[in-house]
Amino acid sequence: MSVKRVIVIGGGAGGMLAAGRAAEMGAQVTLLEKMERPGKKLLISGNARCNLTNARSLDGFISMYGGNGKFLYGAFQRFFRAELLKLLGSYGVKTLAEADGRIFPAAGNAAGVAHALERYMAKNGVEVVTGASVHAIEVRGGRVAEVKTAADACAADAVVLATGGASYPQTGSTGDGYRMAAGLGHTITRLRPALIPLTLKEQGLLENMQGISLHNVRLAALACASDDIKDYAMPKNDSGRGLGGRSPRPPLIECRTGDLIFTHYGVSGPAVLLMSLAVTDALESTPVSLAMDLLPGKTGHRLRHELQEAFDRHGSRHVHNILAELLPGRIAGTLFHIAGIGPQIKANQVTALQRESLVTAIKSLRFTVGRPRPLAGAMVTAGGVRLDEVDPHTLQSKLVKGLYFCGEVLDIDADTGGFNLQAAFSTGWLAGESAALPG
Ligand SMILES: Cc1cc2nc3c(=O)[nH]c(=O)nc-3n(C[C@H](O)[C@H](O)[C@H](O)COP(=O)(O)OP(=O)(O)OC[C@H]3O[C@@H](n4cnc5c(N)ncnc54)[C@H](O)[C@@H]3O)c2cc1C
């Protein structure tokens, strides 16, 4: 039987696994990468530390991808965390799990992971061609036949489309795969940014808040204008992907607890990134507000009591100094402004109404979310090749024989935590293996 000729388009996490595995299976494999080297996004992932997977159970893992997660069972059954860590280990990459379950290379750098995958490809004889931007896949008689770059045309028995998403285009992921797949008849579900900071409309307030970072804030996104949430009590539990199936009730869109930082345009930080996709989707049909509980560990009742006690005890002190013991000093100015408390007011001059406004500002600081930021700045692209047009057991297209998909080009995205990379690695492995099989 003649050797199967497999072309992998794109040398990211998914493409490198696909190429290495197809070659290991005995195929003659060429990886075409448009940039000057493969793995550019991998190199910057996890702040260049590369959070490559997570210690969660399989079902817990699947829940992190929302409704589309079930599609991944097939790939995870073939190649999951243990297989990934074993493969990396065989190329000298030791890993360690942090207390929250995220798994990183022990050496603390993504470069070691990229290097290991390059060695995996080299060992199995993959031909890597860089600076090769593919613009078309030729299909004849319902089967892939050829892959075209500006300079060349390469005959192929099987093609793995591993071009990634359309965010961080400087890494090479410019959405080409979506255009090629659509050209072959595939449906591309709506592309939108996931894991991206949010813009806020309160520019006046933000001017003074830029750079303030807050720890362990509870953040609720609500499908209404900020003026309409006057009596809204912050939810007690987080809701969102992978949080035990707790689905938020309207007007709540999502609630997350974590760190955040104010920027000149809005807010960023882990809690914000995690809820950004749900917020972006909601913005299509409704105004969205953010309510922040700056001290989720204290009930409103307890905070009110503690503030009053402090005001009584230190009547001649400026309220600013009293609040600085509870919250970062720079946010106090904003809270006082919202509560109508002047900068020079002493604790014994605060009225009951002002104290109530201050408690509300701390327990439910409100902002209005502005337009979504551009897709280019998102960590992940949500949307992609529609999953019911792809066989989950082989990752072969149901429309074009010999065409396989892996990684972010598929309609798969997840929360932060190593889930996006594990999906790319696992689908890459399965796509490469399937592409190399006879047939
Ligand atoms: C800043 C940042 C940090 C991240 N951190 C993490 C993290 O710590 N953990 C995690 O799980 N996920 C993380 N992610 C997400 C994760 O990196 C991606 O989901 C994952 O790398 C996708 O892999 P991929 O192989 O599908 O695509 P990519 O890695 O995007 O690779 C696609 C490749 O295809 C090439 N290509 C595109 N078009 C063509 C073409 N026409 N011809 C030839 N080649 C082409 C590109 O140049 C690129 O090399 C992060 C993302 C970003 C942006």
Side-chain angles (χ1 to χ4, degrees):
M1 196 191 311
S2 65
V3 173
K4 217 168 162 189
R5 174 114 180 81
V6 176
I7 307 272
V8 177
I9 309 174
M16 286 196 276
L17 254 292
R21 181 59 181 154
E24 196 173 28
M25 297 278 294
Q28 184 196 338
V29 183
T30 301
L31 182 142
L32 300 174
E33 166 55 52
K34 76 196 260 188
M35 303 301 278
E36 73 286 1
R37 62 154 300 167
K40 289 200 98 171
K41 190 170 278 181
L42 188 62
L43 287 171
I44 59 163
S45 65
N47 280 328
R49 282 179 65 215
C50 190
N51 175 199
L52 45 95
T53 186
N54 195 286
R56 272 192 163 223
S57 68
L58 178 60
D59 286 341
F61 228 97
I62 292 285
S63 69
M64 302 309 288
Y65 303 87
N68 284 350
K70 289 190 183 72
F71 179 86
L72 289 169
Y73 272 117
F76 286 171
Q77 266 155 14
R78 286 293 303 135
F79 185 87
F80 191 44
R81 177 182 51 234
E83 291 77 15
L84 173 67
L85 300 188
K86 190 170 164 210
L87 176 73
L88 292 174
S90 70
Y91 288 92
V93 178
K94 294 199 176 74
T95 52
L96 53 83
E98 300 202 331
D100 60 4
R102 292 179 305 157
I103 296 178
F104 292 88
N109 68 70
V113 178
H115 187 52
L117 298 183
E118 285 175 284
R119 282 168 56 215
Y120 173 52
M121 292 194 294
K123 184 183 163 201
N124 289 295
V126 175
E127 178 196 18
V128 177
V129 184
T130 54
S133 182
V134 174
H135 61 80
I137 301 167
E138 282 285 314
V139 173
R140 286 183 211 124
R143 266 207 92 89
V144 294
E146 207 171 62
V147 166
K148 287 184 170 165
T149 66
D152 226 344
C154 315
D157 300 313
V159 173
V160 180
L161 194 60
T163 42
S167 58
Y168 275 66
Q170 64 275 27
T171 64
S173 335
T174 49
D176 300 1
Y178 301 127
R179 289 185 282 278
M180 286 187 255
L184 297 176
H186 275 279
T187 312
I188 307 302
T189 61
R190 199 165 56 86
L191 304 179
R192 60 247 196 258
L195 306 178
I196 192 165
L198 295 174
T199 58
L200 299 177
K201 288 190 173 167
E202 287 77 5
Q203 279 303 315
L205 281 183
L206 289 175
E207 269 166 32
N208 297 318
M209 297 176 81
Q210 185 179 344
I212 294 178
S213 59
L214 298 169
H215 298 296
N216 220 24
V217 171
R218 181 160 293 147
L219 198 60
L222 298 150
C224 57
S226 58
D227 288 346
D228 296 337
I229 50 173
K230 282 197 172 53
D231 299 315
Y232 187 78
M234 292 294 288
K236 291 195 176 50
N237 294 311
D238 284 5
S239 61
R241 287 179 174 185
L243 290 167
R246 279 191 294 271
S247 31
R249 284 210 205 118
L252 183 64
I253 298 165
E254 201 160 304
C255 179
R256 301 278 194 164
T257 305
D259 298 347
L260 66 82
I261 181 160
F262 287 93
T263 65
H264 63 285
Y265 56 78
V267 267
S268 188
V272 175
L273 297 182
L274 288 176
M275 63 167 48
S276 60
L277 177 59
V279 168
T280 301
D281 284 345
L283 279 168
E284 291 277 304
S285 56
T286 170
V288 177
S289 308
L290 284 187
M292 299 177 189
D293 183 348
L294 306 186
L295 292 173
K298 290 182 201 291
T299 62
H301 180 71
R302 190 166 141 215
L303 177 64
R304 187 175 299 114
H305 180 74
E306 284 183 13
L307 279 177
Q308 191 55 55
E309 237 184 27
F311 291 171
D312 290 345
R313 215 170 332 118
H314 308 289
S316 58
R317 279 177 75 187
H318 282 119
V319 272
H320 190 285
N321 295 333
I322 294 176
L323 204 65
E325 286 166 23
L326 287 174
L327 289 162
R330 278 187 61 210
I331 199 152
T334 305
L335 298 174
F336 290 144
H337 172 78
I338 292 167
I341 299 174
Q344 295 307 322
I345 281 196
K346 300 211 167 126
N348 58 14
Q349 296 171 309
V350 176
T351 66
L353 193 64
Q354 286 172 327
R355 189 205 56 203
E356 274 317 295
S357 302
L358 189 57
V359 170
T360 305
I362 295 171
K363 293 299 289 176
S364 178
L365 182 62
R366 288 142 195 199
F367 295 92
T368 311
V369 179
R371 289 159 62 90
R373 290 179 64 73
L375 180 54
M379 274 169 71
V380 176
T381 305
V385 173
R386 210 168 116 160
L387 299 182
D388 60 4
E389 296 172 358
V390 180
D391 179 349
H393 304 291
T394 59
L395 300 179
Q396 182 168 206
S397 161
K398 292 182 183 171
L399 312 183
V400 179
K401 284 205 173 56
L403 176 64
Y404 298 80
F405 300 98
C406 67
E408 218 176 296
V409 74
L410 288 163
D411 182 8
I412 296 276
D413 68 275
D415 277 6
T416 51
F419 306 103
N420 287 297
L421 276 175
Q422 178 72 60
F425 291 134
S426 295
T427 54
W429 176 275
L430 177 59
E433 185 166 276
S434 312
L437 287 171

